[in-house]
Amino acid sequence: MTRFLGVDIGTSSSKGVLTDEHGTVLARSERAHGVSTPRPGWVEHDAEQVWWADFVAIVRDLVEAADGATLDGLAVSGIGPCLLPADATGRPLRPAILYGVDTRATVEIGELAAEFGEEAVLERAGSPLTSQAVGPKLRWLARHEPTVAAATRMLLMASSFLVQRLTGRYVLDHQSASQCVPMYDLLHREWATDWAELVAPGLPLPELAWPTEIVGRISAEAAASTGLPVGLPVTTGTIDAWAEAASVGVRAPGDAMVMYGTTMFLVQVLTDPRPHPGLWGTCGTWPGTYTLAAGMATSGAVTDWLRNLVGGEFADLVTEAAQVPVGGRGLLVLPYFAGERTPLFDPDARGIVAGLTLGHGRAELYRAVLEGIAYGVRHNLAAMTEAGAQAGRLVAVGGGTKGGLWTQIVSDVTGLPQQLPAETIGACLGDALLAAEAAGVGTANWNPVVATVEPYPERTEEYDAYYRRYRELYECSTAITHFLASEQHRKGVLS
């Protein structure tokens, strides 16, 4: 019997699955972890204590569950784009600087935009320079930690760190590399070596491969540490959101994934680059494809915050909020509690609850938060349409799909149906799928759609008015929220 392993390193937990050749999940394992925020705007992971330790624990669980069955392939994914500086042996030189939630390189973003030109960067790299980009963080490293920068011989992310540790290969997938803005040429699918040399002089760049390519096999040393068999094929892997999109069959042009998690993330598949200043344009998971991606700074993080504030279980909040009419009885929420990423790219945006009265309770607040996030999804889909990328099929995935209310609100706000797959475990299943494809196994029937959330047109019409006010509220409150953000930074309030 054929068996595949998939492991994903997430922001707050790592997950792994063991599957058969049909995509049936035979075993699961999960480890929780946190992030380190040593200073305002800094968000880090210790690669040894989080990435490697979680991986080893999870694969030992899954190997034990395999009960002697032959393993046929492994793929890994992880949060990204990240910056983990490592020496020539792959040893981390400092904690990993995480993706767009880490905003330390604001000055360097401005510098590189001025040096290369904002339009030139967007045209060549496919994405604007933002806190999501790796290039500014490399320059930040050279400026603030020059000893570390001078010793850096490998630019690693979560997936490539694990691949290097397991196989000895210094390699990065095209999709992840395309988020090393401005160091990757999106149209030609290769490193922009001239710009890379200006951003990080002398840094050896990794080889490039596609996520489904087998790039190495488990070494004897890695086998001893993990319990994996020597010689097990290992694919390149990729960033978690793209592995999650693969897990739900988002691979044809026009397919789009809506990931309900700590942050809301969207990935739409394209046949050619469609740069947009408010979105991330990247290589796709498979050769010949590109994607437009969008990510909100918060989503599930805000629902967690509200639940902790008002008390109760999520199931109770969902039940109560479902009884509240459209609009939360006159409430409007801007969910920018940690700034906002796409399509605003405003780290100093702040959350707002507008219309609050003494008559509102936790049910109205909870519904208004879900609606505010749904308006953010609509805003991002509108930006994709502006770029010429109209989504033809939405597939919802992630823990936030449970309970039904959130997905229904998003469909009602956007006016679009969303398909729900059988499995919503996420990126680790997509990793197993990538490992299976690398082994030549067909995956067309993995994780089928089992339900569809249909919008109610009368609700969509009612939400249209709220959505317009949502867009207006940000514009008219920016000066105030930016002042408050500056006060928070000055007084050391973490965002």
Side-chain angles (χ1 to χ4, degrees):
M1 292 183 288
T2 307
R3 297 287 186 267
F4 297 102
L5 294 170
V7 179
D8 173 66
I9 308 297
T11 303
S12 56
S13 68
S14 301
K15 298 178 182 179
V17 293
L18 172 72
T19 74
D20 64 14
E21 68 273 24
H22 304 297
T24 303
V25 176
L26 306 174
R28 309 164 190 251
S29 182
E30 182 173 357
R31 294 293 186 279
H33 57 246
V35 297
S36 173
T37 53
R39 297 186 187 180
W42 292 27
V43 188
E44 301 180 344
H45 269 167
D46 184 303
E48 297 287 0
Q49 296 301 316
V50 176
W51 296 355
W52 182 245
D54 279 11
F55 176 83
V56 170
I58 285 170
V59 295
R60 286 192 174 277
D61 288 346
L62 298 176
V63 168
E64 181 179 356
D67 196 25
T70 300
L71 301 176
D72 297 278
L74 165 69
V76 295
S77 64
I79 49 173
C82 300
L83 169 57
L84 175 65
D87 65 16
T89 69
R91 180 180 64 87
L93 297 172
R94 73 170 321 281
I97 300 172
L98 299 196
Y99 52 100
V101 295
D102 186 296
T103 58
R104 74 183 69 193
T106 302
V107 170
E108 290 75 17
I109 289 169
E111 288 179 356
L112 292 177
E115 288 177 28
F116 297 121
E118 292 182 0
E119 290 186 8
V121 170
L122 185 62
E123 181 179 358
R124 188 178 191 186
S127 298
L129 282 160
T130 69
S131 64
Q132 189 85 345
V134 171
K137 292 171 182 177
L138 280 166
R139 179 165 286 189
W140 179 94
L141 189 72
R143 173 171 291 152
H144 296 278
E145 299 179 5
T147 303
V148 172
T152 299
R153 292 296 175 269
M154 290 186 183
L155 159 60
L156 298 175
M157 298 189 191
S159 59
S160 60
F161 167 73
L162 293 174
V163 169
Q164 196 281 330
R165 181 68 59 91
L166 295 170
T167 70
R169 287 283 300 278
Y170 177 38
V171 60
L172 185 66
D173 69 289
H174 281 276
Q175 198 291 122
S176 300
S178 67
Q179 299 199 52
C180 293
V181 179
M183 300 162 59
Y184 184 91
D185 189 313
L186 184 61
L187 186 61
H188 296 96
R189 297 179 182 137
E190 62 186 16
W191 289 115
T193 52
D194 53 341
W195 283 8
E197 183 62 22
L198 294 171
V199 173
L203 175 65
L205 298 173
E207 300 175 61
L208 294 173
W210 292 98
T212 54
E213 289 186 60
I214 295 173
V215 292
R217 296 178 183 273
I218 297 294
S219 67
E221 182 179 0
S225 299
T226 63
L228 293 168
V230 173
L232 177 69
V234 179
T235 72
T236 317
T238 191
I239 290 175
D240 55 0
W242 280 260
E244 187 141 13
S247 79
V248 294
V250 171
R251 61 188 302 159
D255 285 355
M257 174 197 71
V258 182
M259 184 174 73
Y260 294 73
T262 303
T263 65
M264 189 75 81
F265 206 89
L266 296 86
V267 175
Q268 183 178 170
V269 182
L270 310 171
T271 56
D272 55 276
R274 299 290 178 91
H276 185 284
L279 301 168
W280 299 303
T282 79
C283 272
T285 303
W286 293 273
T289 63
Y290 294 88
T291 66
L292 270 178
M296 298 172 65
T298 63
S299 292
V302 182
T303 63
D304 286 344
W305 168 84
L306 183 58
R307 184 192 63 166
N308 291 335
L309 193 67
V310 303
E313 299 296 327
F314 274 124
D316 297 329
L317 289 170
V318 168
T319 299
E320 293 171 20
Q323 307 306 311
V324 176
V326 166
R329 295 195 175 95
L331 290 183
L332 184 60
V333 169
L334 296 188
Y336 309 147
F337 285 52
E340 186 55 301
R341 296 192 288 169
T342 66
L344 300 176
F345 292 127
D346 184 357
D348 289 332
R350 287 296 180 264
I352 292 176
V353 182
L356 196 60
T357 73
L358 295 175
H360 289 109
R362 70 177 195 173
E364 288 83 5
L365 276 169
Y366 191 73
R367 184 178 185 98
V369 163
L370 297 184
E371 291 173 339
I373 297 164
Y375 302 139
V377 173
R378 179 168 168 175
H379 194 182
N380 278 293
L381 288 172
M384 290 183 175
T385 300
E386 289 172 5
Q390 179 72 48
R393 183 173 77 102
L394 293 185
V395 185
V397 68
T401 61
K402 298 174 182 176
L405 179 61
W406 200 355
T407 51
Q408 186 63 61
I409 288 174
V410 168
S411 279
D412 290 341
V413 166
T414 62
L416 298 171
Q418 297 174 88
Q419 296 179 348
L420 301 176
E423 274 285 356
T424 60
I425 192 171
C428 56
L429 179 58
D431 296 327
L433 180 147
L434 296 176
E437 291 194 5
V441 173
T443 61
N445 296 320
W446 282 41
N447 202 13
V449 170
V450 294
T452 300
V453 181
E454 296 286 353
Y456 289 88
E458 65 277 11
R459 295 180 189 170
T460 303
E461 184 176 356
E462 192 169 355
Y463 275 128
D464 284 346
Y466 278 89
Y467 175 68
R468 289 193 297 272
R469 301 303 182 271
Y470 169 87
R471 298 287 298 272
E472 293 169 4
L473 181 57
Y474 169 73
E475 296 296 337
C476 71
S477 64
T478 301
I480 296 171
T481 57
H482 284 189
F483 166 76
L484 296 175
S486 69
E487 287 292 285
Q488 292 163 4
H489 293 314
R490 186 171 67 85
K491 296 179 179 179
V493 178
L494 294 178
S495 61

